[in-house]
Amino acid sequence: MKEGISLFHYSLKRDVSGEFEADEEITCVGGCASEVFLGTSIGRVLHYQLVKKQNEDALRILGAIQLPSRKPVVSIDYASALEILLVISNQILFEISLETREIISKKSDTIALTINTNPTSDDPFALQFATSTTNKKILVLEKKNGQNHNIQRLNCPGHVLAMAYNKYTICYSSGAEYFVYDNISRRAISLFPFEPTVLTRPLVANVDQGEFLLAGMDGLCIIASATGVSTRPPFPIPTPPIRNFMQFQDYLFVCTEGKIYILSTNSLRVEQVIVIQGVAHVTNLDGCLWACTGSETFSIELISWETQVDELLTNGKYEDALRFAEAHLKSSYSEENIVKLNHLYQKIGFHHFFEGNFDGADELFRLGELDPSELVQLCPKILVEFMPTQLHEQSSIDSVKNADAETVQTFIREYLEWTLENINKTPEQEMYIKTALLEFAILDGNTEITAFPQLDLPRLEEFLERYEKTALGAIVKFHLGKEEKALELWQKLAEGNLKDADFAVETVFEYLPMIEKQQNFLLALTWLCKIAPDRTKEFLEKYHRKHDSEKVAEVLKPHSDLYLWFLENERRLGSRKWDTKLALFYLKSNPTDETNDIKKKLRELLLTSDSLNKDDILLACKNRKGLAVELILLDARADPVTAVPKLLKEQEILLAEEVCSRFGQGNPKLGTIMLSEYLTNPRIKTSEETLIRLVNGMAGYADPQEVLRNLPSTIKVKEISSFVRSALSLSGSKQKMLELAKSFADHGAEPILEKPDAKPIYVDEDSNCPVCNRGLFLAQKLKAIPSGYVVHSDCMPYPHLCPVTNQIFPELVRDRHTL
């Protein structure tokens, strides 16, 4: 205990001598926090009530109860839930109703009583207690419904003058010895003996953690537990004999003649001594401490260390205040005290802060885990309104001495960043810090915002409006669910009606996919098409399926380039519902102009689409010149046989071939019609290359025999290999395949295949099949073919056709035994 620092102070509450008779004095105290009962030397119990009087507590007498024996009252216990006083006088236990102040029962031969301070019953109206009797017994009782029920009866070696009851354990003195008794095992353990002639007043009191405090000889105090004497050492009291003792919070109070010793339960050292002339009793009544002399009552109250610290702070002794508070915390640890100490760190930290001593402030703010809002609200550029605080009397960083505003703000930002990384925070606190840091960054010109869900968006919205940061404000509004307002601001910024150097139209495209309301999306699209058409195209290509394509098309329709791109892109993605609109768009775009590719696109669409509305297209073509070929293609799907000659008449040879290629499967004669026109129509310029291209284009649908009959003999079969392979593969049967192969082999004046000179063929572990590229091994089924290759047998599906060169082997066709 440091000199000049007191833990407790006492004050006189009432001099009761005016209520006493001659030679009457206080012999014991009992009660609760609001009701105080004084037992006297002539068998009276005086009832007082604690009341407020002129801003302080005072005792007001309510009445007195006279016991029949007029002998000294030795103990008073108050069962507040039952409103019953348990009073022992002249070895009689009286039960007194507090309501009527009448004795409702009494039991003789009772020496002492103790109430279980840690009852095992859940019934709040059940009272567990124990009494000692003149026939050397302890009775364990429970009072329920006004009746006392015997639970246990314990025989003792002598009279029990003192005892304490905690849960399942009773500690007591009997004869010349202390014992501890377990109610469950019903076993008593001897603690230690004492000399009755020396220790005439044995004492037992409950201590936290299931321990008991016992009075030994020569002022020695000993701590015991349910299993025996505690490992904590005994401690002496300087001025015995001990009148009584008890525990309060982390302190033990030991009363001797005229003195009350206050000891720490942790160190068992004397922390303070209260001297009251004639004091003989000290007691804890539900957290209220009372001391009594023969005729006076005193309250004892814990002096808050905050009061001590505040006095030191008032005198400017900051370091002394810190040392005292830290010492108190170390000697009396509690969650509440930590909070108070942190408050002190913060308070002294602000003293350093406003003096410009940022190093000292930073250390104390971190120790005290200062709420960053206490610093942020001092910055008027961040928060307009200042909330009063208990930590200092300033309202702005303008009051900081010896530092400019920029230095102060830098200190605050660094503290916020440290707090964000090192202190456990609630989500709300983290949001506050991140928002404040962002606001500082915005003031410094940094306009990048991330992690929107972790920001206080309403506050940030107000901040951005104050500084006319429209671009950022629009983003914040969007995240607040104000889509319409955000898009309105973006449009004004994009069209130049509002100015903000931080605005980029790309921001709008970043947020378009997040728009929930289709109406807002379409509205944004209307002005984005004008301002950023290329970027709009890129966006729609990625997100075209998110919104109604019909409505998107209506928005794009006034913008011909975008509209055309949209229609063509939809078709590329597999949608055919736009084919008619696309064809009409092409027709409106001058498809007869040879300088653009509209004609080519229109013709391809007319030729390939099966979803066109023919009437709409015919109406668009009506009375327009130069669309003869387009009209033919419009009918080609329905009547390709008629369309082919018409296209040839128009000298559209490639288109005619395309019609044959597309619709030949359903019209096998299209190819021969084309071939016949090529060979007989003098207006069609033909060449061998043209004929070869035409025949190879008939692969898969034209009659091969008819093609061969009309095919000029100058064309070799190997030049129409695609047609040959298709014909052979689709022949349907082996016999038909052989007949076709022979026809091909017999066609033409020149040999189909020049047989290569015989060369030796080697197969080793490094040889691979030229068809499948797998290794060749002699253990496999291999085949050496006339073209000079060795292949796997299963890699040659047509015995007469080389799978590498696609050439026919006539000798294999003629010699059917080799197939």
Side-chain angles (χ1 to χ4, degrees), residues 721-763:
S721 59
S722 295
F723 182 81
V724 171
R725 286 196 305 271
S726 178
L728 291 174
S729 64
L730 298 174
S731 57
S733 67
K734 190 172 183 179
Q735 181 63 34
K736 182 67 174 176
M737 180 182 65
L738 292 172
E739 291 174 359
L740 285 177
K742 187 175 184 305
S743 297
F744 288 133
D746 292 340
H747 179 77
E750 297 181 6
I752 296 176
L753 177 68
E754 294 290 343
K755 187 173 182 180
D757 295 335
K759 296 180 181 178
I761 298 174
Y762 298 98
V763 176

Side-chain angles (χ1 to χ4, degrees), residues 293-304:
T293 65
S295 60
E296 296 172 315
T297 60
F298 298 85
S299 68
I300 301 175
E301 295 178 353
L302 182 65
I303 299 174
S304 69

Side-chain angles (χ1 to χ4, degrees), residues 546-578:
K546 186 172 181 179
H547 296 276
D548 188 335
S549 56
E550 294 279 358
K551 294 181 179 179
V552 172
E554 286 300 313
V555 173
L556 300 180
K557 199 168 186 179
H559 310 278
S560 58
D561 289 344
L562 277 175
Y563 185 60
L564 174 59
W565 168 84
F566 179 80
L567 296 178
E568 290 179 339
N569 192 57
E570 286 288 298
R571 193 164 200 277
R572 279 195 299 272
L573 295 171
S575 175
R576 295 291 180 262
K577 69 177 182 177
W578 306 96

Side-chain angles (χ1 to χ4, degrees), residues 182-202:
D182 188 323
N183 287 350
I184 297 178
S185 65
R186 302 202 174 194
R187 177 170 171 263
I189 300 174
S190 172
L191 297 178
F192 61 88
F194 57 84
E195 178 56 52
T197 59
V198 177
L199 182 63
T200 59
R201 189 181 179 87

Side-chain angles (χ1 to χ4, degrees), residues 78 115 408 435 754:
Y78 177 42
I115 292 177
V408 177
T435 304
E754 294 290 343

Side-chain angles (χ1 to χ4, degrees), residues 76 392 569 599 617 693 771:
I76 298 176
H392 57 83
N569 192 57
K599 175 189 288 188
I617 295 174
R693 184 187 73 239
V771 180

